[in-house]
Amino acid sequence: MSERAAVALALLLLASPAAAEPRVTLLDLPFRVTQLRDAGSEAALAVTTAGLPQLPRKAGPVAVAWGEAGAAILMLAGDKVTAVPLPLDAIEGLTAGETPKGALPGSRRVLAGPLSAYLSGPSRGPDGRPGAAGVTLRERQKVTMSADPKPVPVATATVPPGVGAVFSADTLRPVEIDGSLNLLALSERPEGNGLAVIGRQDGVWRVRAETPPEPGPLALAAELPGPVPGAVLVRGEEGRLEHWSLAGGTPVRTGKSADGTGFSAPGAVLGSELVVASRDRAALAYVALGGLAERARVALPAPVGAGLAVLGDRVVVALADGRLATVQDGDARP
């Protein structure tokens, strides 16, 4: 190569924007993290509405992490994730209602507007694993304004999974479909596992639709809100991603990941991408929601443990060894 060509190539490389490699930073916490809740959780809602003096008046979205020896509120301060210490007894009080009486042990209820829902009726799936015989919904009713205080009436309903089926112990996810609130749950049948869409039909809460059951493991990586709601599933031993559209309340598979690339839950939506654990949980992958093509992958200091949360353009990951890491990807857009 001539000297002139070498100089031109160097100038071209300097002028070209290079893809930013994802960066991992460990947060310095004085306790081992065993629980992590994202900004949409009941725990995060309780923290932000409790009037805690540790939080600024306009804190923005927060996540919550805790373990046997401590707790912390996680938030963005400028371009960094910071941890605000929280007394352990405070977080225990704020999260006491996560598993209501009658709920499947170890499960958590979800809150969405006037609705709360949780897995109920401990049962066993076809493979003997713990499952739930129903989903219990409690919905606050409208109250006519008057001078005298009145208790808010609550309507309760329990939705069964269908004959011979149980609901998986996976967390319920709320999603709006055609202007109405629905819940996503996983159902297990002798012939396989599928995604169940629970919604109101003819004034009654029921399983409105399901994906065809298929043998093998199934996990819900993320729900996809927006004008075209959807869900991303992790299917089979190989960890194949599947994108299902839920428009109209009828699940339609619109894409799947390429063969040979495996993933595992948990996952979360970050802009137009899905951030999801690799099959061995030793890395995070950034996957385009359109086409499910992987764009970037970052190795973690330890496997993914209690879960992950998104704060702005940062991903907070609870690692299996109790540490907490943040991942920043310069090409990700919140």
Side-chain angles (χ1 to χ4, degrees), residues 45-173:
L45 176 64
V47 164
T48 54
T49 57
L52 298 174
Q54 296 95 327
L55 289 180
R57 292 185 61 184
K58 295 182 179 180
V62 304
V64 188
W66 71 93
E68 294 182 357
I73 304 168
L74 309 172
M75 68 182 74
L76 276 178
D79 60 352
K80 293 184 178 180
V81 175
T82 61
V84 178
L86 190 66
L88 190 56
D89 58 351
I91 197 65
E92 289 173 348
L94 291 169
T95 60
E98 277 194 329
T99 305
K101 183 179 180 181
L104 184 69
S107 66
R108 306 194 305 271
R109 69 177 174 180
V110 296
L111 302 179
L115 184 74
S116 68
Y118 54 90
L119 296 167
S120 59
S123 184
R124 293 282 175 180
D127 60 358
R129 292 187 305 169
V135 170
T136 295
L137 305 102
R138 294 173 54 81
E139 189 172 14
R140 299 193 306 272
Q141 305 298 296
K142 294 182 179 179
V143 179
T144 304
M145 297 296 293
S146 68
D148 299 324
K150 296 180 180 179
V152 177
V154 176
T156 302
T158 299
V159 177
V163 178
V166 300
F167 288 120
S168 168
D170 202 357
T171 303
L172 300 171
R173 309 288 183 94

Side-chain angles (χ1 to χ4, degrees), residues 12-315:
L12 179 61
L13 291 175
L14 287 173
S16 301
E21 289 294 327
R23 300 196 306 272
V24 179
T25 304
L26 290 172
L27 286 178
D28 186 16
L29 294 178
F31 61 91
R32 183 178 182 273
V33 174
T34 59
Q35 301 290 332
L36 175 65
R37 302 288 187 268
D38 64 18
S41 65
E42 180 178 355
L45 176 64
V47 164
T48 54
T49 57
L52 298 174
Q54 296 95 327
L55 289 180
R57 292 185 61 184
K58 295 182 179 180
V62 304
V64 188
W66 71 93
E68 294 182 357
I73 304 168
L74 309 172
M75 68 182 74
L76 276 178
D79 60 352
K80 293 184 178 180
V81 175
T82 61
V84 178
L86 190 66
L88 190 56
D89 58 351
I91 197 65
E92 289 173 348
L94 291 169
T95 60
E98 277 194 329
T99 305
K101 183 179 180 181
L104 184 69
S107 66
R108 306 194 305 271
R109 69 177 174 180
V110 296
L111 302 179
L115 184 74
S116 68
Y118 54 90
L119 296 167
S120 59
S123 184
R124 293 282 175 180
D127 60 358
R129 292 187 305 169
V135 170
T136 295
L137 305 102
R138 294 173 54 81
E139 189 172 14
R140 299 193 306 272
Q141 305 298 296
K142 294 182 179 179
V143 179
T144 304
M145 297 296 293
S146 68
D148 299 324
K150 296 180 180 179
V152 177
V154 176
T156 302
T158 299
V159 177
V163 178
V166 300
F167 288 120
S168 168
D170 202 357
T171 303
L172 300 171
R173 309 288 183 94
V175 64
E176 189 173 288
I177 302 174
D178 300 331
S180 299
L181 180 64
N182 288 250
L183 294 170
L184 303 182
L186 299 181
S187 62
E188 301 178 3
R189 300 178 180 275
E191 61 269 30
N193 306 320
L195 176 71
V197 180
I198 300 172
R200 200 193 303 274
Q201 196 170 44
D202 299 327
V204 178
W205 286 96
R206 63 182 65 185
V207 175
R208 296 177 54 195
E210 294 183 75
T211 63
E214 294 184 26
L218 181 66
L220 179 56
E223 75 279 11
L224 307 177
V228 184
V232 178
L233 304 178
V234 183
R235 172 85 68 177
E237 297 288 352
E238 71 278 11
R240 180 180 73 250
L241 291 181
E242 296 181 347
H243 183 183
W244 289 79
S245 169
L246 303 176
T250 301
V252 176
R253 191 171 69 182
T254 59
K256 63 179 182 178
S257 58
D259 293 339
T261 304
F263 304 92
S264 67
V269 175
L270 178 54
S272 60
E273 293 185 310
L274 174 74
V275 183
V276 64
S278 60
R279 183 182 175 189
D280 60 4
R281 302 173 71 87
L284 284 186
Y286 290 79
V287 178
L289 290 174
L292 296 180
E294 183 176 327
R295 175 182 62 79
R297 179 172 292 212
V298 55
L300 298 170
V304 177
L308 55 83
V310 170
L311 293 175
D313 63 351
R314 304 296 194 274
V315 181

